[in-house]
Amino acid sequence: ADNAATPTDLKTPKANFFRGIAYGTATVSDKFSVSAVYELGYTNYNKDNNGDDVKIKTLSHSFCVRPMYQILSGVEAQVELGYSALTYKGNGMTGNDYKNKMLLQYKITPSLAFAMDGGFYTRPQIRVFASLMGNNSKARDYYNGWGGSMDGKKMLVVYGAQAEAWW
């Protein structure tokens, strides 16, 4: 529905949110590097954006690793492997259907990255990629309830190009 609330729409003074991120990159050789990131998130909503009482708590864990091999100076082959788990407890916007449920997701993204020079942090960079994403049935049901892009599918393939620049 056009007027349905989404998790990012919640504008509530009665909420707590925490996110911790650990990130690092290891240079294995002059042509091979690996980066990894772990994220821990917690949310606690007591009121929705209409001021109605809800009790929603989520705990999420995400892990991603991206090995990179420099084929030529400025050309890198990368593979991103990601996994995410979300525990949902509560009532309110999505009802009790997800109480104490574990929502699991994963993605595999091979890509070619093009930059002016070699090295993991070299920017600007253009990546050409294809992502294979999958999840369990609880995740499909939950995210489709929020207008998610999986559309009830167990797996989804997304492809494209991404430009990235840092200042």
Side-chain angles (χ1 to χ4, degrees):
D2 290 335
N3 61 352
T6 64
T8 56
D9 288 337
L10 294 175
K11 299 175 184 120
T12 166
K14 295 204 173 183
N16 300 310
F17 177 80
F18 166 80
R19 179 180 289 169
I21 299 173
Y23 178 83
T25 300
T27 302
V28 179
S29 71
D30 60 343
K31 292 194 176 275
F32 184 69
S33 297
V34 178
S35 73
V37 62
Y38 173 76
E39 180 179 346
L40 173 66
Y42 170 80
T43 58
N44 180 16
Y45 300 107
N46 294 313
K47 297 231 179 246
D48 66 12
N49 57 344
N50 295 320
D52 297 327
D53 288 334
V54 295
K55 299 274 187 237
I56 299 172
K57 294 182 180 184
T58 64
L59 180 64
S60 62
H61 302 271
S62 298
F63 180 75
C64 185
V65 63
R66 184 191 294 178
M68 180 276 301
Y69 181 77
Q70 185 176 341
I71 299 169
L72 301 168
S73 180
V75 181
E76 301 166 353
Q78 302 175 352
V79 176
E80 189 171 292
L81 307 169
Y83 177 81
S84 176
L86 173 78
T87 302
Y88 178 98
K89 297 180 181 181
N91 64 3
M93 295 165 292
T94 59
N96 287 316
D97 294 343
Y98 304 100
K99 189 172 186 175
N100 299 318
K101 302 294 183 185
M102 178 69 77
L103 289 61
L104 305 173
Q105 300 178 84
Y106 66 88
K107 78 170 196 162
I108 303 167
T109 305
S111 65
L112 279 176
F114 303 93
M116 299 301 284
D117 196 8
F120 192 84
Y121 291 105
T122 303
R123 301 295 184 268
Q125 182 183 81
I126 296 174
R127 281 194 329 143
V128 179
F129 67 90
S131 287
L132 171 66
M133 296 177 280
N135 54 43
N136 68 352
S137 62
K138 300 295 183 241
R140 283 191 297 284
D141 294 344
Y142 177 78
Y143 288 111
N144 287 332
W146 292 110
S149 61
M150 293 298 287
D151 195 24
K153 299 174 184 167
K154 290 181 183 179
M155 296 183 28
L156 180 68
V157 176
V158 177
Y159 55 90
Q162 166 189 334
E164 185 174 341
W166 300 342
W167 284 271

